[in-house]
Amino acid sequence: MYSMGSNARIVWTFLLCGVLIMVLTAGVLISGTTGIDAADVWRAVTGGETSEVCRVIVRDVRLPMALTALLCGMALSVSGLLFQTTFDNPLAGPSILGVSTGASLGVAVVMLSFGGWLGGGIGYYAGILSGAFVGAAAVLAILLLFSSLVKSNVMLLIIGILIGYLASSAISLLNFFSTQQGVHSYVIWGMGNFGGLTWDRLMIYAALAIAAVLSAMLFIKPLNALLLGKRYAESMGMNVRRVRNSLMTVAGVLAALVTAFCGPIGFLGLVMPHVARMATGTANHGVLLPATAIIGGAGALLCAWLSVVCGGGQIIPVNAVTPVISVPVIIYVILKGRK
């Protein structure tokens, strides 16, 4: 049976994560390339009297950045948890399985092949979103096809890794034959960015991300059944292949959403489910799934804050920060698995 964890430990985990999210959100709002006093930040957020420049920076730049990071962390972490449970592998994740790479390939096709034709503005942005979803959907379709032919989760995981390598190769070819400006734009996009969404785009992203995370909550019982083994799940009358395909679809949509709106954010989907397991001491998805979402949001906010305070007057790319936080956790998981 899966570990249930202690109630006190679980409650403290949620409380501490809630406090951490509030503190990190305040940190993102206060920190930035332009110095603004905490009092002015508070007045800008609450609608108090402050300068127009301060209000624009806080409410239209920093607050959307904080909310984007929170949603991104939640979506990627839940996606990683679904993949890890589905494949019964602690190192499964949206980037490992090629879903994020497939979404990146779709964006690369749009930016490097049709960027000039689409122009700028809404058409260009819609093209990037469409490319990300089409690329992720293509990889998911291939994985779902092989899932009907391959019964082993390990073999399906290996196929996902190979698909990711093929997508990366295609991206390299597109970069090689593209213009210098196109390559520069794609490289900047590929570094990941929490600060690129306006309020209109953020509302769309928030609605889609929250809906996808809530959809994942519907699979708590099947996820717990999969933890106890395929035979146990089948003895309960569960169609394992159908559930596995549904879980991969939801996880793929979550990863595609993040890639489409924020770029290919690495490591969070792989690491945060492990942090949630260590924090709660349980494998019960009734607790673990919401804990993973909250801890993932806090982790992404931490990355967003570090990208601001460590930039020396500039905002450094998110993907330059995530490995620093994530790699020690991955090494710990690997060493713990050896024992």
Side-chain angles (χ1 to χ4, degrees):
M1 294 291 289
Y2 46 78
S3 172
M4 293 297 295
S6 67
N7 290 333
R9 180 176 178 177
I10 292 169
V11 170
W12 274 110
T13 297
F14 279 95
L15 288 175
L16 289 175
C17 286
V19 173
L20 185 60
I21 286 174
M22 289 188 290
V23 170
L24 288 172
T25 300
V28 173
L29 294 179
I30 294 172
S31 306
T33 57
T34 303
I36 300 176
D37 293 336
D40 287 329
V41 170
W42 174 255
R43 284 190 286 267
V45 172
T46 57
E49 186 174 348
T50 185
S51 67
E52 183 65 24
V53 174
C54 175
R55 186 178 295 106
V56 169
I57 291 175
V58 173
R59 299 179 65 175
D60 294 337
V61 178
R62 296 182 183 178
L63 185 56
M65 178 180 177
L67 294 176
T68 300
L70 178 64
L71 292 167
C72 170
M74 293 175 64
L76 273 184
S77 301
V78 171
S79 175
L81 177 62
L82 296 184
F83 277 127
Q84 288 172 13
T85 303
T86 300
F87 290 97
D88 191 23
N89 191 311
L91 297 180
S95 55
I96 300 297
L97 287 164
V99 177
S100 296
T101 311
S104 298
L105 174 59
V107 173
V109 171
V110 173
M111 294 182 70
L112 302 178
S113 301
F114 303 104
W117 179 73
L118 289 174
I122 297 177
Y124 182 72
Y125 191 74
I128 289 178
L129 296 181
S130 302
F133 278 106
V134 170
V139 172
L140 273 176
I142 296 173
L143 288 174
L144 293 174
L145 173 63
F146 277 101
S147 71
S148 63
L149 304 175
V150 177
K151 295 183 179 180
S152 171
N153 285 338
V154 176
M155 291 303 299
L156 195 58
L157 182 63
I158 293 173
I159 291 171
I161 294 172
L162 294 176
I163 294 171
Y165 280 126
L166 289 174
S168 296
S169 176
I171 292 172
S172 298
L173 287 173
L174 285 170
N175 277 307
F176 181 79
F177 289 107
S178 181
T179 63
Q180 183 177 357
Q181 182 180 359
V183 172
H184 178 74
S185 298
Y186 181 76
V187 169
I188 296 298
W189 175 86
M191 292 179 179
N193 180 24
F194 291 142
L197 298 186
T198 62
W199 276 109
D200 291 339
R201 295 172 182 175
L202 177 58
M203 291 299 102
I204 298 173
Y205 174 50
L208 295 174
I210 292 173
V213 170
L214 292 177
S215 298
M217 300 288 182
L218 300 176
F219 291 91
I220 288 176
K221 288 185 177 180
L223 286 167
N224 284 337
L226 288 175
L227 284 180
L228 301 175
K230 180 180 177 181
R231 291 185 179 179
Y232 177 84
E234 289 176 341
S235 69
M236 294 178 62
M238 191 176 82
N239 188 324
V240 174
R241 180 170 295 174
R242 183 181 301 170
V243 169
R244 184 174 65 178
N245 292 348
S246 299
L247 289 171
M248 285 196 296
T249 301
V250 174
V253 168
L254 285 165
L257 277 171
V258 173
T259 306
F261 284 91
C262 306
I265 308 297
F267 289 100
L268 291 179
L270 175 62
V271 170
M272 290 305 157
H274 294 293
V275 177
R277 291 187 187 96
M278 290 186 285
T280 59
T282 180
N284 176 15
H285 284 77
V287 174
L288 183 59
L289 203 155
T292 298
I294 295 174
I295 291 174
L301 278 170
L302 176 61
C303 292
W305 178 70
L306 289 175
S307 70
V308 174
V309 299
C310 297
Q314 300 182 27
I315 299 178
I316 63 177
V318 176
N319 281 333
V321 177
T322 53
V324 178
I325 298 174
S326 304
V327 168
V329 179
I330 298 173
I331 294 174
Y332 173 79
V333 170
I334 293 174
L335 294 177
K336 185 178 179 182
R338 279 189 66 191
K339 295 179 182 179

